[in-house]
Amino acid sequence: MRDILEGMLAESGTLTTEEIFMHILTAVILGLFIYISYYISHSGTAYSRKFNISLVCLTVLTATVMTVIGNNLSLSLGMVGALSIVRFRTAVKDTRDTIYIFWTIVVGICCGVADYLVACMGSAVIFVILLIMGHVKNENRVLLIVKGSRMHADEIEKVIFSYFDQKATLRTKNTTPTSVEFIYELSRKILTQSSKNGKSITTCLYEIPDTQYVGIVVQSDEING
């Protein structure tokens, strides 16, 4: 048994240059496939070109590492020990980004061990799923913030109530002896449709005496770190 283990530890890779080139080339092709998927599913302000390029590079790097350690047990054990001390602190801004990170790692591992069929079939399935269900726009909720005189609080509520046809939800109401602040939540669709009625909501609110400011903030589902 000892001789067998020593032989396994001493064994080195026997891959040819053509095989190594095939591993890397396949990883590049599938990495570009992931690049296209990310570009489609994150269109708009959620798209990060730097992160998308990083996905392609991560695919190739994973395939390269797997190519190196695939036929060398001692190197594999050393690599596991080295990677066990690595800690990644980068915050993931979109939960879908985690899917793409795991996708690139899995594809890189498959390409590194020359299991191209699994890599291609798995990528095709994930691509279809994300194409159908993953095209989600983050900027869908809007906050309307209004600050004015406390004497005109009822008038402010009446204007917002009628302008958005009761579809704006009051989330916060802050008051002082002289002022009042309202925070309403509504969808971007409601805000867009309501703005077609002639006057904008800001114009209507500024017609109320002593209105200090009107703010419209787009909420995002991204996770900030």
Side-chain angles (χ1 to χ4, degrees):
M1 178 62 69
R2 181 177 179 180
D3 294 337
I4 296 176
L5 291 176
E6 289 179 352
M8 293 177 63
L9 291 173
E11 182 181 359
S12 59
T14 56
L15 294 177
T16 63
T17 303
E18 290 76 11
E19 290 174 328
I20 296 174
F21 178 77
M22 192 64 183
H23 290 183
I24 304 302
L25 178 62
T26 307
V28 171
I29 294 174
L30 292 178
L32 294 175
F33 187 72
I34 296 174
Y35 181 97
I36 296 173
S37 175
Y38 186 86
Y39 180 82
I40 295 175
S41 64
H42 287 68
S43 61
T45 57
Y47 176 71
S48 173
R49 186 169 181 268
K50 291 182 179 179
F51 182 80
N52 204 1
I53 295 174
S54 299
L55 292 176
V56 180
C57 296
L58 181 59
T59 306
V60 178
L61 287 173
T62 306
T64 304
V65 171
M66 288 303 301
T67 302
V68 172
I69 70 177
N71 295 322
N72 194 316
L73 181 59
S74 60
L75 189 57
S76 302
L77 296 175
M79 187 65 67
V80 170
L83 293 178
S84 65
I85 64 174
V86 177
R87 297 292 184 270
F88 296 96
R89 299 296 184 183
T90 303
V92 178
K93 294 184 178 180
D94 193 318
T95 53
R96 291 172 296 172
D97 292 348
T98 306
I99 298 175
Y100 280 94
I101 292 173
F102 277 104
W103 186 3
T104 57
I105 293 174
V106 171
V107 168
I109 292 174
C110 292
C111 293
V113 297
D115 205 340
Y116 308 128
L117 181 61
V118 174
C120 293
M121 292 183 64
S123 296
V125 173
I126 296 298
F127 181 84
V128 173
I129 293 175
L130 291 173
L131 183 64
I132 297 175
M133 305 178 65
H135 190 64
V136 181
K137 292 183 178 180
N138 289 331
E139 300 175 346
N140 190 42
R141 297 172 297 172
V142 177
L143 292 182
L144 174 64
I145 305 173
V146 184
K147 186 174 183 179
S149 173
R150 187 175 180 181
M151 296 176 57
H152 301 284
D154 293 338
E155 190 174 351
I156 293 174
E157 290 185 277
K158 183 179 179 181
V159 169
I160 295 175
F161 183 82
S162 60
Y163 189 90
F164 295 110
D165 195 20
Q166 309 178 32
K167 295 179 180 179
T169 303
L170 178 62
R171 293 301 184 189
T172 306
K173 181 179 180 180
N174 302 316
T175 61
T176 67
T178 58
S179 65
V180 62
E181 182 183 59
F182 296 96
I183 300 179
Y184 286 88
E185 181 180 344
L186 60 152
S187 68
R188 178 187 287 270
K189 181 179 180 181
I190 294 174
L191 179 64
T192 304
Q193 291 177 344
S194 301
S195 64
K196 298 177 182 179
N197 297 332
K199 293 183 179 180
S200 66
I201 183 61
T202 55
T203 301
C204 294
L205 289 171
Y206 279 122
E207 290 177 350
I208 302 173
D210 300 324
T211 299
Q212 298 181 24
Y213 69 78
V214 178
I216 297 177
V217 180
V218 177
Q219 283 188 306
S220 176
D221 293 331
E222 294 181 350
I223 302 173
N224 296 322

